[in-house]
Amino acid sequence: MSLVVRKSSPVVVRPSPETGTTRGTIKLSSFDKGLYNMPSTTLLVFEHPLHNAAETIRGALSRALAHYYPIASRIVVAGGGGGGSSGGGDVYIECNDEGVAFVAAHTDHALKEVICFDRSPAARKLLDQLAVYYPGMSCGPGDPLLLMQVTEFSCGGFVLGVTWNHGGADGAGMGQFLRAVGELSGGSPSPSVAPVRWDGSLPSLRPSVLEAQQHLLSLDPRCTTFEAALAVLWRCRTRAIRPDPEAPTLLVFLADMRKHAGAKEGYYGNCIVAQLVVDSDAVMAIRRAKDQLPDRLKEDEEGVVGRHELREIRAYDTLTVTSWRNLGFDRVDFGSGRPARVTASGKDLPPSPGAVGFLSDGRGGGVSVLSDLVRQEHADAFLAELAKFI
């Protein structure tokens, strides 16, 4: 099936004047640095009709930006660039109300006809039409911090595609923002959670943690459900791709540090770290790594993987994982109910070739998996290993 999505020209949505905004600058925290040019995309699939969905959401978006005014701003890199752990320059948000980009789109197809999630090349191309992306899949200093597209289908269902600069908010923060847009679209006078973008009480990440995180981002393209599923995938993938049992493989999962860092309620800036694991006992290694998360904030913490060892591991020997189950995207409601599905576009995979994202199914009963785990020559071996657990 050939899907034709007709898109309007992008328009700029600025904060509504009903709430006074604050000018000035917001310095990026150590959690933000290294992520300010990294885009992220989320697709929220709503099955139930919403009258004039694009205009309803656009109006609520403007009102939400009056409360979340830094999202309507621009990132500035001063002093010669970089802005990372090496101190090559300062990076901050200049609050200037320049606004975000918004696209209204529609298609003559019904949602059930065209939304498939088998992650075939054709399906990925289809999903790619449901969002707006930054040129070159990288965020420039003058780009909006948020790109939004609402695609309305002939059945009345719609898809909200949200692409944002990760330096402006992490996944939990963007989920909080979208829930606020939903609340305002339903007539609430203000968001139920007061937003906080600058929290001076947050500790600073050590340079070694930032260096490891930046290295991972530069790579080429209790036994919980998370621990069990991740352990199976990691073990099967490692056995499939590694003929030498002594060769190291690296597991990376992204963790929310809000409770460990003591972030204020409503904080929507970045508060995540990349936790690294190298071990043969997958479940226990993942559990130990989760237990060690508070240590990432300590000055004398050595880290799970040494710098030299980290740089010796190939991109293909790295499995990067993130869980979206608790980010709040599945609780967004613009007036016609919560999304039936939360997923990502085909373009929005983590940087290492072996990667998987756990995505909420929107109904609270399970998870689906977006994966790009192995090369073609390892596919049969991986599936054979996976079959042992089914």
Side-chain angles (χ1 to χ4, degrees):
M1 176 184 294
S2 177
L3 174 66
V4 176
V5 174
R6 289 177 286 276
K7 301 186 180 187
S8 67
S9 299
V11 297
V12 176
V13 178
R14 293 184 170 86
S16 65
E18 60 194 46
T19 301
T21 59
T22 302
R23 298 263 176 184
T25 61
I26 296 175
K27 188 176 181 179
L28 295 190
S29 72
S30 61
F31 289 92
D32 299 319
K33 289 186 176 181
L35 299 174
Y36 72 91
N37 58 1
M38 174 185 170
S40 186
T41 301
T42 298
L43 301 176
L44 282 68
V45 182
F46 295 86
E47 292 181 334
H48 301 295
L50 175 66
H51 178 68
N52 209 352
E55 285 303 310
T56 298
I57 294 174
R58 183 169 72 167
L61 172 63
S62 177
R63 294 192 294 276
L65 290 173
H67 300 273
Y68 287 79
Y69 58 87
I71 293 179
S73 306
R74 297 294 183 268
I75 285 182
V76 174
V77 181
S85 60
S86 61
D90 198 12
V91 187
Y92 58 90
I93 298 175
E94 183 178 5
C95 299
N96 51 24
D97 290 350
E98 288 194 20
V100 304
F102 183 91
V103 171
H106 69 278
T107 178
D108 293 333
H109 291 285
L111 194 60
K112 64 180 181 180
E113 291 182 82
V114 297
I115 297 298
C116 55
F117 299 96
D118 60 8
R119 295 299 169 180
S120 65
R124 290 186 180 182
K125 289 181 180 179
L126 181 155
L127 293 176
D128 288 348
Q129 297 186 58
L130 303 179
V132 185
Y133 302 94
Y134 292 99
M137 296 300 291
S138 179
C139 309
D143 289 334
L145 299 189
L146 176 67
L147 314 173
M148 184 176 287
Q149 177 177 319
V150 176
T151 306
E152 299 182 68
F153 289 75
S154 61
C155 59
F158 63 98
V159 174
L160 175 68
V162 182
T163 301
W164 76 95
N165 184 321
H166 215 301
D170 61 13
M174 185 51 59
Q176 176 183 312
F177 171 71
L178 293 179
R179 292 196 303 277
V181 177
E183 290 170 347
L184 294 171
S185 72
S188 296
S190 62
S192 59
V193 177
V196 176
R197 183 54 183 87
W198 171 250
D199 187 351
S201 65
L202 286 179
S204 295
L205 290 176
R206 294 172 296 103
S208 61
V209 175
L210 293 170
E211 181 181 350
Q213 184 162 288
Q214 290 171 346
H215 173 70
L216 293 168
L217 290 173
S218 70
L219 296 175
D220 293 329
R222 279 165 329 252
C223 186
T224 65
T225 302
F226 173 79
E227 292 166 352
L230 178 52
V232 169
L233 290 173
W234 187 23
R235 179 172 295 171
C236 293
R237 183 181 186 275
T238 299
R239 290 174 177 173
I241 72 171
R242 188 179 62 178
D244 180 3
E246 301 301 321
T249 60
L250 178 66
L251 170 70
V252 182
F253 65 87
L254 304 181
D256 187 347
M257 298 291 287
R258 281 169 171 76
K259 65 179 181 180
H260 303 301
K264 296 176 181 176
E265 182 183 6
Y267 181 71
Y268 63 96
N270 284 280
C271 202
I272 56 174
V273 297
Q275 184 71 322
L276 287 64
V277 187
V278 176
D279 206 297
S280 57
D281 186 339
V283 172
M284 291 307 299
I286 296 165
R287 184 174 298 174
R288 283 195 298 270
K290 292 172 69 176
D291 291 340
Q292 293 167 356
L293 284 171
D295 296 335
R296 303 304 299 275
L297 303 176
K298 296 179 180 178
E299 291 292 337
D300 57 350
E301 193 266 332
E302 295 181 358
V304 180
V305 184
R307 297 184 187 183
H308 177 73
E309 184 180 9
L310 174 64
R311 296 189 180 281
E312 291 298 315
I313 297 176
R314 301 177 306 164
Y316 188 60
D317 294 331
T318 302
L319 175 60
T320 303
V321 178
T322 182
S323 173
W324 286 11
R325 297 190 72 187
N326 298 314
L327 298 184
F329 291 121
D330 56 344
R331 300 196 301 274
V332 176
D333 187 347
F334 297 107
S336 63
R338 295 182 177 185
R341 188 68 173 258
V342 177
T343 186
S345 72
K347 295 182 179 181
D348 198 50
L349 290 171
S352 55
V356 57
F358 290 84
L359 311 179
S360 169
D361 69 352
R363 295 182 174 86
V367 294
S368 59
V369 177
L370 165 62
S371 62
D372 191 7
L373 290 170
V374 294
R375 296 171 181 152
Q376 186 62 42
E377 62 263 30
H378 297 133
D380 290 341
F382 173 72
L383 293 175
E385 292 290 339
L386 194 61
K388 297 176 183 178
F389 292 88
I390 299 175

mmCIF file of all heavy atoms in Angstrom, residues 131-172:
data_model
loop_
_atom_site.group_PDB
_atom_site.id
_atom_site.type_symbol
_atom_site.label_atom_id
_atom_site.label_comp_id
_atom_site.label_asym_id
_atom_site.label_seq_id
_atom_site.Cartn_x
_atom_site.Cartn_y
_atom_site.Cartn_z
ATOM 1 N N ALA A 131 6.009 12.268 11.123
ATOM 2 C CA ALA A 131 6.704 13.208 12.001
ATOM 3 C C ALA A 131 7.557 14.136 11.152
ATOM 4 O O ALA A 131 7.762 13.920 9.954
ATOM 5 C CB ALA A 131 7.578 12.464 13.022
ATOM 6 N N VAL A 132 8.043 15.195 11.766
ATOM 7 C CA VAL A 132 8.961 16.147 11.143
ATOM 8 C C VAL A 132 10.332 15.932 11.770
ATOM 9 O O VAL A 132 10.435 15.655 12.973
ATOM 10 C CB VAL A 132 8.498 17.602 11.377
ATOM 11 C CG1 VAL A 132 9.382 18.578 10.614
ATOM 12 C CG2 VAL A 132 7.038 17.762 10.979
ATOM 13 N N TYR A 133 11.374 16.052 10.975
ATOM 14 C CA TYR A 133 12.716 15.758 11.461
ATOM 15 C C TYR A 133 13.654 16.939 11.239
ATOM 16 O O TYR A 133 13.435 17.758 10.350
ATOM 17 C CB TYR A 133 13.278 14.509 10.767
ATOM 18 C CG TYR A 133 12.417 13.292 10.968
ATOM 19 C CD1 TYR A 133 11.438 12.952 10.024
ATOM 20 C CD2 TYR A 133 12.541 12.499 12.098
ATOM 21 C CE1 TYR A 133 10.627 11.845 10.218
ATOM 22 C CE2 TYR A 133 11.730 11.388 12.295
ATOM 23 C CZ TYR A 133 10.772 11.062 11.351
ATOM 24 O OH TYR A 133 9.972 9.986 11.539
ATOM 25 N N TYR A 134 14.692 16.970 12.034
ATOM 26 C CA TYR A 134 15.737 17.974 11.849
ATOM 27 C C TYR A 134 16.598 17.616 10.649
ATOM 28 O O TYR A 134 16.834 16.431 10.388
ATOM 29 C CB TYR A 134 16.627 18.057 13.090
ATOM 30 C CG TYR A 134 15.943 18.604 14.317
ATOM 31 C CD1 TYR A 134 15.446 17.757 15.306
ATOM 32 C CD2 TYR A 134 15.802 19.975 14.503
ATOM 33 C CE1 TYR A 134 14.821 18.251 16.435
ATOM 34 C CE2 TYR A 134 15.176 20.488 15.627
ATOM 35 C CZ TYR A 134 14.687 19.624 16.595
ATOM 36 O OH TYR A 134 14.063 20.119 17.712
ATOM 37 N N PRO A 135 17.085 18.619 9.909
ATOM 38 C CA PRO A 135 17.966 18.324 8.766
ATOM 39 C C PRO A 135 19.207 17.564 9.225
ATOM 40 O O PRO A 135 19.847 17.930 10.212
ATOM 41 C CB PRO A 135 18.335 19.723 8.243
ATOM 42 C CG PRO A 135 17.243 20.616 8.723
ATOM 43 C CD PRO A 135 16.814 20.049 10.054
ATOM 44 N N GLY A 136 19.508 16.478 8.526
ATOM 45 C CA GLY A 136 20.682 15.704 8.877
ATOM 46 C C GLY A 136 20.554 14.950 10.184
ATOM 47 O O GLY A 136 21.534 14.436 10.709
ATOM 48 N N MET A 137 19.330 14.861 10.742
ATOM 49 C CA MET A 137 19.074 14.173 12.010
ATOM 50 C C MET A 137 19.977 14.679 13.125
ATOM 51 O O MET A 137 20.434 13.942 13.990
ATOM 52 C CB MET A 137 19.250 12.656 11.845
ATOM 53 C CG MET A 137 18.258 12.032 10.888
ATOM 54 S SD MET A 137 16.522 12.274 11.400
ATOM 55 C CE MET A 137 16.460 11.221 12.850
ATOM 56 N N SER A 138 20.239 15.984 13.092
ATOM 57 C CA SER A 138 21.024 16.620 14.144
ATOM 58 C C SER A 138 20.452 18.001 14.402
ATOM 59 O O SER A 138 20.045 18.700 13.469
ATOM 60 C CB SER A 138 22.500 16.732 13.729
ATOM 61 O OG SER A 138 23.260 17.361 14.732
ATOM 62 N N CYS A 139 20.403 18.412 15.675
ATOM 63 C CA CYS A 139 19.815 19.692 16.048
ATOM 64 C C CYS A 139 20.869 20.792 16.013
ATOM 65 O O CYS A 139 21.900 20.678 16.686
ATOM 66 C CB CYS A 139 19.204 19.618 17.451
ATOM 67 S SG CYS A 139 18.080 18.236 17.699
ATOM 68 N N GLY A 140 20.629 21.842 15.241
ATOM 69 C CA GLY A 140 21.529 22.985 15.195
ATOM 70 C C GLY A 140 21.157 24.011 16.237
ATOM 71 O O GLY A 140 20.023 24.036 16.731
ATOM 72 N N PRO A 141 22.069 24.902 16.596
ATOM 73 C CA PRO A 141 21.794 25.903 17.638
ATOM 74 C C PRO A 141 20.592 26.787 17.341
ATOM 75 O O PRO A 141 19.909 27.223 18.258
ATOM 76 C CB PRO A 141 23.098 26.709 17.684
ATOM 77 C CG PRO A 141 24.144 25.782 17.171
ATOM 78 C CD PRO A 141 23.455 24.956 16.125
ATOM 79 N N GLY A 142 20.301 27.078 16.071
ATOM 80 C CA GLY A 142 19.180 27.950 15.749
ATOM 81 C C GLY A 142 17.874 27.237 15.505
ATOM 82 O O GLY A 142 16.855 27.881 15.234
ATOM 83 N N ASP A 143 17.865 25.902 15.613
ATOM 84 C CA ASP A 143 16.656 25.131 15.335
ATOM 85 C C ASP A 143 15.679 25.209 16.501
ATOM 86 O O ASP A 143 16.080 25.339 17.663
ATOM 87 C CB ASP A 143 17.011 23.659 15.096
ATOM 88 C CG ASP A 143 17.734 23.439 13.782
ATOM 89 O OD1 ASP A 143 17.540 24.253 12.862
ATOM 90 O OD2 ASP A 143 18.493 22.458 13.681
ATOM 91 N N PRO A 144 14.373 25.080 16.224
ATOM 92 C CA PRO A 144 13.401 24.979 17.318
ATOM 93 C C PRO A 144 13.714 23.772 18.192
ATOM 94 O O PRO A 144 14.257 22.768 17.726
ATOM 95 C CB PRO A 144 12.065 24.808 16.594
ATOM 96 C CG PRO A 144 12.302 25.308 15.203
ATOM 97 C CD PRO A 144 13.732 25.027 14.890
ATOM 98 N N LEU A 145 13.349 23.852 19.450
ATOM 99 C CA LEU A 145 13.558 22.726 20.348
ATOM 100 C C LEU A 145 12.469 21.662 20.210
ATOM 101 O O LEU A 145 12.599 20.580 20.765
ATOM 102 C CB LEU A 145 13.617 23.203 21.805
ATOM 103 C CG LEU A 145 14.733 24.185 22.160
ATOM 104 C CD1 LEU A 145 14.806 24.390 23.659
ATOM 105 C CD2 LEU A 145 16.070 23.700 21.623
ATOM 106 N N LEU A 146 11.431 21.979 19.450
ATOM 107 C CA LEU A 146 10.319 21.044 19.285
ATOM 108 C C LEU A 146 9.743 21.163 17.885
ATOM 109 O O LEU A 146 9.491 22.262 17.394
ATOM 110 C CB LEU A 146 9.221 21.330 20.327
ATOM 111 C CG LEU A 146 7.935 20.511 20.248
ATOM 112 C CD1 LEU A 146 8.215 19.051 20.579
ATOM 113 C CD2 LEU A 146 6.877 21.077 21.197
ATOM 114 N N LEU A 147 9.526 20.002 17.243
ATOM 115 C CA LEU A 147 8.849 19.900 15.956
ATOM 116 C C LEU A 147 7.655 18.976 16.162
ATOM 117 O O LEU A 147 7.817 17.849 16.648
ATOM 118 C CB LEU A 147 9.769 19.320 14.876
ATOM 119 C CG LEU A 147 11.193 19.879 14.773
ATOM 120 C CD1 LEU A 147 11.996 19.072 13.759
ATOM 121 C CD2 LEU A 147 11.174 21.346 14.395
ATOM 122 N N MET A 148 6.461 19.422 15.810
ATOM 123 C CA MET A 148 5.264 18.627 16.068
ATOM 124 C C MET A 148 4.438 18.480 14.794
ATOM 125 O O MET A 148 4.293 19.435 14.030
ATOM 126 C CB MET A 148 4.420 19.272 17.167
ATOM 127 C CG MET A 148 3.181 18.475 17.577
ATOM 128 S SD MET A 148 2.269 19.231 18.955
ATOM 129 C CE MET A 148 3.374 18.870 20.334
ATOM 130 N N GLN A 149 3.920 17.283 14.561
ATOM 131 C CA GLN A 149 3.033 17.026 13.432
ATOM 132 C C GLN A 149 1.812 16.256 13.916
ATOM 133 O O GLN A 149 1.939 15.276 14.658
ATOM 134 C CB GLN A 149 3.737 16.219 12.338
ATOM 135 C CG GLN A 149 2.836 15.856 11.154
ATOM 136 C CD GLN A 149 3.576 15.123 10.059
ATOM 137 O OE1 GLN A 149 4.711 15.469 9.729
ATOM 138 N NE2 GLN A 149 2.958 14.100 9.482
ATOM 139 N N VAL A 150 0.633 16.702 13.501
ATOM 140 C CA VAL A 150 -0.610 15.983 13.770
ATOM 141 C C VAL A 150 -1.146 15.493 12.433
ATOM 142 O O VAL A 150 -1.458 16.302 11.546
ATOM 143 C CB VAL A 150 -1.650 16.878 14.474
ATOM 144 C CG1 VAL A 150 -2.969 16.114 14.649
ATOM 145 C CG2 VAL A 150 -1.126 17.347 15.827
ATOM 146 N N THR A 151 -1.230 14.181 12.263
ATOM 147 C CA THR A 151 -1.734 13.568 11.038
ATOM 148 C C THR A 151 -3.115 12.989 11.309
ATOM 149 O O THR A 151 -3.260 12.081 12.135
ATOM 150 C CB THR A 151 -0.798 12.461 10.537
ATOM 151 O OG1 THR A 151 0.527 12.983 10.395
ATOM 152 C CG2 THR A 151 -1.281 11.915 9.199
ATOM 153 N N GLU A 152 -4.132 13.513 10.632
ATOM 154 C CA GLU A 152 -5.502 13.039 10.808
ATOM 155 C C GLU A 152 -5.835 12.026 9.709
ATOM 156 O O GLU A 152 -5.543 12.241 8.527
ATOM 157 C CB GLU A 152 -6.472 14.211 10.770
ATOM 158 C CG GLU A 152 -6.229 15.239 11.884
ATOM 159 C CD GLU A 152 -7.227 16.374 11.866
ATOM 160 O OE1 GLU A 152 -8.413 16.132 12.159
ATOM 161 O OE2 GLU A 152 -6.811 17.518 11.552
ATOM 162 N N PHE A 153 -6.471 10.912 10.108
ATOM 163 C CA PHE A 153 -6.832 9.837 9.194
ATOM 164 C C PHE A 153 -8.322 9.906 8.877
ATOM 165 O O PHE A 153 -9.104 10.538 9.597
ATOM 166 C CB PHE A 153 -6.449 8.492 9.805
ATOM 167 C CG PHE A 153 -4.964 8.244 9.844
ATOM 168 C CD1 PHE A 153 -4.158 8.890 10.775
ATOM 169 C CD2 PHE A 153 -4.370 7.389 8.934
ATOM 170 C CE1 PHE A 153 -2.796 8.670 10.808
ATOM 171 C CE2 PHE A 153 -3.004 7.166 8.953
ATOM 172 C CZ PHE A 153 -2.214 7.810 9.890
ATOM 173 N N SER A 154 -8.722 9.222 7.816
ATOM 174 C CA SER A 154 -10.107 9.316 7.346
ATOM 175 C C SER A 154 -11.106 8.786 8.370
ATOM 176 O O SER A 154 -12.267 9.193 8.387
ATOM 177 C CB SER A 154 -10.268 8.550 6.025
ATOM 178 O OG SER A 154 -9.965 7.171 6.205
ATOM 179 N N CYS A 155 -10.673 7.890 9.249
ATOM 180 C CA CYS A 155 -11.548 7.303 10.254
ATOM 181 C C CYS A 155 -11.750 8.223 11.452
ATOM 182 O O CYS A 155 -12.581 7.921 12.328
ATOM 183 C CB CYS A 155 -10.965 5.976 10.742
ATOM 184 S SG CYS A 155 -9.308 6.137 11.463
ATOM 185 N N GLY A 156 -10.995 9.298 11.522
ATOM 186 C CA GLY A 156 -11.059 10.194 12.660
ATOM 187 C C GLY A 156 -9.915 10.010 13.631
ATOM 188 O O GLY A 156 -9.651 10.872 14.468
ATOM 189 N N GLY A 157 -9.231 8.876 13.566
ATOM 190 C CA GLY A 157 -8.045 8.678 14.386
ATOM 191 C C GLY A 157 -6.921 9.598 13.937
ATOM 192 O O GLY A 157 -6.947 10.152 12.837
ATOM 193 N N PHE A 158 -5.944 9.759 14.775
ATOM 194 C CA PHE A 158 -4.832 10.647 14.426
ATOM 195 C C PHE A 158 -3.557 10.185 15.108
ATOM 196 O O PHE A 158 -3.586 9.421 16.084
ATOM 197 C CB PHE A 158 -5.146 12.102 14.810
ATOM 198 C CG PHE A 158 -5.337 12.336 16.285
ATOM 199 C CD1 PHE A 158 -4.291 12.837 17.071
ATOM 200 C CD2 PHE A 158 -6.558 12.088 16.897
ATOM 201 C CE1 PHE A 158 -4.464 13.057 18.429
ATOM 202 C CE2 PHE A 158 -6.747 12.321 18.255
ATOM 203 C CZ PHE A 158 -5.693 12.807 19.032
ATOM 204 N N VAL A 159 -2.441 10.641 14.555
ATOM 205 C CA VAL A 159 -1.125 10.342 15.118
ATOM 206 C C VAL A 159 -0.425 11.651 15.427
ATOM 207 O O VAL A 159 -0.354 12.547 14.575
ATOM 208 C CB VAL A 159 -0.269 9.500 14.149
ATOM 209 C CG1 VAL A 159 1.150 9.334 14.688
ATOM 210 C CG2 VAL A 159 -0.907 8.129 13.925
ATOM 211 N N LEU A 160 0.078 11.766 16.646
ATOM 212 C CA LEU A 160 0.886 12.910 17.044
ATOM 213 C C LEU A 160 2.347 12.517 16.949
ATOM 214 O O LEU A 160 2.802 11.599 17.635
ATOM 215 C CB LEU A 160 0.538 13.328 18.480
ATOM 216 C CG LEU A 160 1.398 14.449 19.071
ATOM 217 C CD1 LEU A 160 1.116 15.771 18.360
ATOM 218 C CD2 LEU A 160 1.171 14.589 20.571
ATOM 219 N N GLY A 161 3.076 13.173 16.060
ATOM 220 C CA GLY A 161 4.506 12.946 15.930
ATOM 221 C C GLY A 161 5.265 14.079 16.599
ATOM 222 O O GLY A 161 5.067 15.244 16.246
ATOM 223 N N VAL A 162 6.119 13.760 17.554
ATOM 224 C CA VAL A 162 6.850 14.763 18.319
ATOM 225 C C VAL A 162 8.344 14.502 18.181
ATOM 226 O O VAL A 162 8.830 13.433 18.554
ATOM 227 C CB VAL A 162 6.452 14.735 19.807
ATOM 228 C CG1 VAL A 162 7.198 15.818 20.582
ATOM 229 C CG2 VAL A 162 4.958 14.911 19.973
ATOM 230 N N THR A 163 9.062 15.450 17.617
ATOM 231 C CA THR A 163 10.514 15.394 17.543
ATOM 232 C C THR A 163 11.062 16.558 18.335
ATOM 233 O O THR A 163 10.628 17.692 18.136
ATOM 234 C CB THR A 163 11.003 15.467 16.085
ATOM 235 O OG1 THR A 163 10.445 14.379 15.332
ATOM 236 C CG2 THR A 163 12.520 15.389 16.012
ATOM 237 N N TRP A 164 11.998 16.291 19.235
ATOM 238 C CA TRP A 164 12.509 17.386 20.060
ATOM 239 C C TRP A 164 14.006 17.276 20.261
ATOM 240 O O TRP A 164 14.607 16.215 20.090
ATOM 241 C CB TRP A 164 11.786 17.423 21.409
ATOM 242 C CG TRP A 164 12.182 16.387 22.426
ATOM 243 C CD1 TRP A 164 13.089 16.512 23.438
ATOM 244 C CD2 TRP A 164 11.659 15.050 22.538
ATOM 245 N NE1 TRP A 164 13.163 15.354 24.175
ATOM 246 C CE2 TRP A 164 12.292 14.444 23.654
ATOM 247 C CE3 TRP A 164 10.715 14.317 21.816
ATOM 248 C CZ2 TRP A 164 12.022 13.134 24.047
ATOM 249 C CZ3 TRP A 164 10.453 13.017 22.213
ATOM 250 C CH2 TRP A 164 11.097 12.445 23.306
ATOM 251 N N ASN A 165 14.595 18.399 20.618
ATOM 252 C CA ASN A 165 16.011 18.463 20.968
ATOM 253 C C ASN A 165 16.168 17.906 22.379
ATOM 254 O O ASN A 165 15.602 18.436 23.329
ATOM 255 C CB ASN A 165 16.500 19.907 20.895
ATOM 256 C CG ASN A 165 17.986 20.048 21.142
ATOM 257 O OD1 ASN A 165 18.558 19.374 21.982
ATOM 258 N ND2 ASN A 165 18.622 20.953 20.420
ATOM 259 N N HIS A 166 16.945 16.838 22.508
ATOM 260 C CA HIS A 166 17.076 16.163 23.800
ATOM 261 C C HIS A 166 17.709 17.065 24.867
ATOM 262 O O HIS A 166 17.533 16.833 26.069
ATOM 263 C CB HIS A 166 17.912 14.889 23.648
ATOM 264 C CG HIS A 166 17.470 13.764 24.522
ATOM 265 N ND1 HIS A 166 17.420 13.856 25.885
ATOM 266 C CD2 HIS A 166 17.039 12.510 24.220
ATOM 267 C CE1 HIS A 166 17.003 12.713 26.398
ATOM 268 N NE2 HIS A 166 16.746 11.878 25.404
ATOM 269 N N GLY A 167 18.416 18.101 24.440
ATOM 270 C CA GLY A 167 18.977 19.030 25.409
ATOM 271 C C GLY A 167 17.928 19.840 26.128
ATOM 272 O O GLY A 167 18.165 20.360 27.224
ATOM 273 N N GLY A 168 16.750 19.955 25.534
ATOM 274 C CA GLY A 168 15.683 20.724 26.150
ATOM 275 C C GLY A 168 14.884 19.942 27.163
ATOM 276 O O GLY A 168 14.341 20.510 28.116
ATOM 277 N N ALA A 169 14.784 18.629 26.994
ATOM 278 C CA ALA A 169 14.018 17.777 27.906
ATOM 279 C C ALA A 169 14.382 16.329 27.630
ATOM 280 O O ALA A 169 14.713 15.974 26.494
ATOM 281 C CB ALA A 169 12.515 17.987 27.728
ATOM 282 N N ASP A 170 14.321 15.499 28.673
ATOM 283 C CA ASP A 170 14.482 14.074 28.434
ATOM 284 C C ASP A 170 13.109 13.456 28.194
ATOM 285 O O ASP A 170 12.100 14.160 28.086
ATOM 286 C CB ASP A 170 15.248 13.398 29.575
ATOM 287 C CG ASP A 170 14.548 13.515 30.936
ATOM 288 O OD1 ASP A 170 13.360 13.896 30.970
ATOM 289 O OD2 ASP A 170 15.200 13.221 31.951
ATOM 290 N N GLY A 171 13.052 12.121 28.085
ATOM 291 C CA GLY A 171 11.791 11.478 27.747
ATOM 292 C C GLY A 171 10.709 11.704 28.790
ATOM 293 O O GLY A 171 9.554 11.979 28.460
ATOM 294 N N ALA A 172 11.074 11.604 30.074
ATOM 295 C CA ALA A 172 10.097 11.840 31.132
ATOM 296 C C ALA A 172 9.620 13.286 31.110
ATOM 297 O O ALA A 172 8.441 13.570 31.343
ATOM 298 C CB ALA A 172 10.701 11.496 32.491
#
